[in-house]
Amino acid sequence: MNSIQFFGALEIGLVYSFVAMGIYLSFRVLNFADLTVDGSFPLGAAVCATLITMGVSPAFATIAAVLAGAAAGFTTAWVATRLNVLHLLASILTMTALYSINLRIMGKPNVPLLGEPTLFNGILGGVPTAITLAVIAIITLLLLYAFLKTQIGLAVRATGSNSRMARAQGIHDHHYVWLGISLSNALALFHQLL
């Protein structure tokens, strides 16, 4: 294995570490089977690519992509909690609907980004990619760890562990499911920032 292959594999692994953090939050912390990420991945890419080709700053476009992913996660959590649809089915419904929404956002099947500015060839042009990814992944992991130790994070964890007991303690479990799944999809799409 040469150095190009090694650093390429390292960069891809670091990019997907954000997806692992998002899946950890939904599956392990909230005990919510969420397949929305399969549809929100292309949603984030569609939003980001469309905004970049319209001349919007890559930083703003990627933040908009993360917010779009959070909105997709919120939709799944809302359908599951308010309409009493099974978690897995709610995420499959949202994931399927997002394919049509992605095409509507892009206006065509593909949006090429050749020659367009991105974060790495624009703002972070001189910094090695692997180092930047490692620093951002570590900071994100520490922020997630710190969030789960806050009062809101503890309420999210209590909702995932035992929602009936969380309700008995005065926690509005539906609100924390909405927050957790939105944050999970935003984390999974955080790689769009890169």
Side-chain angles (χ1 to χ4, degrees), residues 38-111:
D38 194 31
S40 60
F41 249 65
L43 172 69
V47 168
C48 188
T50 303
L51 288 176
I52 287 175
T53 56
M54 292 171 58
V56 176
S57 164
F60 179 75
T62 50
I63 290 169
V66 170
L67 292 176
F74 177 81
T75 302
T76 297
W78 188 85
V79 168
T81 57
R82 285 293 184 202
L83 303 180
N84 293 325
V85 176
L86 294 174
H87 298 164
L88 192 60
L89 181 58
S91 64
I92 290 171
L93 290 171
T94 306
M95 173 187 66
T96 305
L98 284 174
Y99 286 114
S100 299
I101 292 170
N102 294 339
L103 288 173
R104 178 65 69 181
I105 289 171
M106 293 188 297
K108 52 188 171 184
N110 189 15
V111 176

Side-chain angles (χ1 to χ4, degrees), residues 1-22:
M1 174 184 287
N2 61 27
S3 62
I4 294 174
Q5 292 171 329
F6 174 75
F7 284 112
L10 180 64
E11 289 170 10
I12 289 173
L14 287 168
V15 165
Y16 282 111
S17 68
F18 299 105
V19 178
M21 287 183 250

Side-chain angles (χ1 to χ4, degrees), residues 149-164:
K149 296 289 184 184
T150 64
Q151 188 171 0
I152 294 173
L154 288 172
V156 169
R157 289 168 52 193
T159 300
S161 294
N162 190 341
S163 60
R164 291 178 67 192

